Every structure is written in structure tokens, then in C-alpha cells.
Amino acid sequence: MDVDAAVFDVFGTLTDWRSSVTGELAEIGGRAGLHADWPAVADAWRRRYRPTLRRVVVGELPWQPLDDLHRLMLDEVLAEHGLDALTAAHRDDLVRAWHRLRPWPDASEGLERLHRSPVLTATLSNGGVGLLTRLAKHAGLRFDCILSAELAKSYKPDPRVYRMAAELLDVEPRRLLMVACHPDDLEAAAAAGLRTAFFPRLEWGPDAEPDPPPSDPGLVATDLIDLARALTDAR
């Protein structure tokens, strides 16, 4: 697949949000003297993500930064799990847990391989620019550019987000590759004219099944290193 640039989903595709967020919930909850099924709390928080963002995309909610939406979702989840004792400071720290996610083991090497190639690399995530910049620095993930749905004042899967990435990188949509482990992200990118690449992740834990590829996945790889080889070996 001959492309000029590749943009990456981050939560799930490049980072293990579940173990990262679960760990921070357990640590911060423990400091507050609380006990809970912390993986279940992390899962409940994440399950609110897509429905909440979709409400923004369709106009049911005004656009606001993802940190603010994460806080709204967190407040709901904590109330449901009887964790109201967590203070505002605790909750602010938990929202920032999404700035400190751990990368999957292959993510750094795969991005480094692409960095040594002519292919431009950038994030294309619903996380804000500040969040993604801090996350990339914390996780040791090197990109040529940080792009965020925030720049389009919307969220994926709004087609404006994908077109914005092509415009800002100054590449034709058909020369821009969207990389994700989420079929709906890739389907929306393809509908906006982008090329797509899929590899699976066990983002909901080792006992869960990865999402299957979309019906027309474009390039399919086993992980990011495999994808980097596929994009660079033919050059």
C-alpha cells in the first residue's frame, strides 16, 4: 500500500487503556480507603465513551474537550458504583489517567520504523492536543505531528475529522492511511475517502475477544511492527 502519511487511533490501538486506567483507579481509590471491582469500573467508564461522543457529533450535546466529557462520564460511573467518597481532586487525577496510558509493547518500535521511512505519522484521536502530547511523551511514542478531533471541534466518526487530517497534512485523502483496531473508526475513515489499516487488540482484557476487522479492512496486520514492515518494505 503506497501512502504518504498514516494517522493513528490511540486509545486501544496504541495504548492499553484498560490496565492503565484500572491501575490508577485502584491506586487512587486505595488512597481514599475504598474497595471496588476496579476493572469493572474502568470498563463501565469506557463503555460510556462512544455513546457520549456520538451525542456531541449529532448535536445533542455541545462540543467540549474530552477531559470534560471524561469527567462527566466518571461522575456517573462513580455514583453507580457507590464511590461518591472520591473527592474532586481524586476525580481530576483520574481524568488525567488518560494522559498517562501505557503503550502496547509493539507500539514504540512500530512508530520508530515508520519514522525512519518517508511516511509521515500523526495521531488522529478524540483526545485533545494537550492530552495526546502528554500521552505521547509519557509513553515514548514518536509522531511527526499531533492531530486531534479537537481541531475540527467534533469527534470521530464525524467525516470532518478525517478530512481535516488530510487537509492539515497536505495530502490527498486517498494517500492518507487511517490505522485503528476499531472497525467503526475505519469504516468512517473509508467513507471519507481515506485508506485504512486494521490490526486486532485485546483492549477489553485477555479474556475478551478482539473486534473483528471491518468488511473492507484495507490492509490487515498482526500488530504495529507488522504494519510498519508492510508499509516500508515495498519502498
Side-chain angles (χ1 to χ4, degrees):
M1 182 180 288
D2 189 17
V3 295
D4 297 322
V7 291
F8 291 83
D9 173 66
V10 174
F11 303 144
T13 301
L14 298 180
T15 58
D16 179 5
W17 62 262
R18 188 175 189 264
S19 68
S20 301
V21 171
T22 296
E24 298 229 17
L25 280 163
E27 194 275 326
I28 292 169
R31 281 196 271 121
L34 299 173
H35 302 279
D37 182 347
W38 298 116
V41 177
D43 289 349
W45 193 3
R46 179 64 174 175
R47 286 195 181 97
R48 281 170 166 74
Y49 178 84
R50 291 186 184 181
T52 301
L53 269 56
R54 189 167 294 277
R55 291 181 65 197
V56 175
V57 172
V58 302
E60 292 180 9
L61 288 175
W63 185 88
Q64 49 195 303
L66 185 60
D67 279 354
D68 293 349
L69 293 175
H70 267 154
R71 176 59 184 273
L72 291 174
M73 293 181 256
L74 177 64
D75 288 344
E76 294 173 358
V77 169
L78 295 180
E80 288 181 0
H81 285 78
L83 299 169
D84 292 311
L86 286 171
T87 66
H90 290 140
R91 295 171 193 231
D92 289 344
D93 202 12
L94 284 169
V95 167
R96 288 191 293 272
W98 295 89
H99 300 218
R100 301 186 290 263
L101 302 180
R102 290 188 295 272
W104 294 111
D106 57 283
S108 180
E109 182 180 342
L111 288 172
E112 288 296 331
R113 284 174 178 262
L114 288 173
H115 184 74
R116 296 192 295 268
S117 80
V119 178
L120 298 176
T121 59
T123 58
L124 189 59
S125 167
N126 288 323
V129 172
L131 182 161
L132 294 171
T133 303
R134 293 181 183 90
L135 189 157
K137 187 175 183 67
H138 173 82
L141 300 177
R142 176 149 65 164
F143 300 96
D144 297 314
C145 181
I146 298 293
L147 296 179
S148 163
E150 177 179 60
L151 299 171
K153 287 294 185 286
S154 188
Y155 288 109
K156 296 185 296 181
D158 187 333
R160 291 180 297 168
V161 174
Y162 306 99
R163 292 196 293 264
M164 173 270 298
E167 292 168 4
L168 291 180
L169 291 173
D170 192 24
V171 299
E172 296 180 37
R174 64 182 181 85
R175 303 282 299 174
L176 179 60
L177 181 70
M178 179 74 219
V179 182
C181 68
H182 305 125
D184 58 346
D185 197 356
L186 296 179
E187 289 164 357
L194 276 61
R195 310 287 289 279
T196 59
F198 171 86
F199 50 79
R201 292 295 197 197
L202 294 174
E203 64 169 324
W204 292 92
D207 297 327
E209 291 293 324
D211 284 338
S215 57
D216 185 10
L219 181 61
V220 177
T222 57
D223 60 18
L224 186 48
I225 296 172
D226 186 40
L227 174 68
R229 290 194 187 108
L231 292 178
T232 58
D233 285 355
R235 290 177 178 266

